[in-house]
Amino acid sequence: MKKLSTGEDSTLKNWKKLTLSVFGYGPAVDFLDKKIIEQGENEEVLADEAQFINALWTMQDWGY
């Protein structure tokens, strides 16, 4: 199992927890919730951490 830089397993559940703490509720959390429903919260995320953070970042609507 891949690990996050926090030391936790790279699962959808842990990514959601991380995303909530950094971005709060929004499109990125909605995306992760949808994936959790489809695949389960313990599904491993194989994407590179920096690339996945960037993908979640671009999902946010910052209202600019």
Side-chain angles (χ1 to χ4, degrees):
M1 169 88 47
K2 290 183 72 141
K3 299 284 186 187
L4 297 171
S5 58
T6 60
E8 298 178 301
D9 290 340
S10 181
T11 63
L12 290 171
K13 175 184 173 182
N14 289 332
W15 270 103
K16 179 180 176 183
K17 184 171 61 172
L18 179 65
T19 302
L20 280 169
S21 69
V22 174
F23 301 127
Y25 285 98
V29 173
D30 293 342
F31 168 78
L32 291 169
D33 281 340
K34 186 185 250 185
K35 292 298 176 188
I36 288 171
I37 290 169
E38 292 172 1
Q39 301 173 3
E41 66 181 11
N42 293 318
E43 183 70 21
E44 183 176 10
V45 176
L46 297 175
D48 175 73
E49 185 172 353
Q51 290 176 339
F52 201 55
I53 289 170
N54 187 52
L56 294 170
W57 174 270
T58 59
M59 289 178 194
Q60 293 301 106
D61 178 15
W62 299 108
Y64 295 124

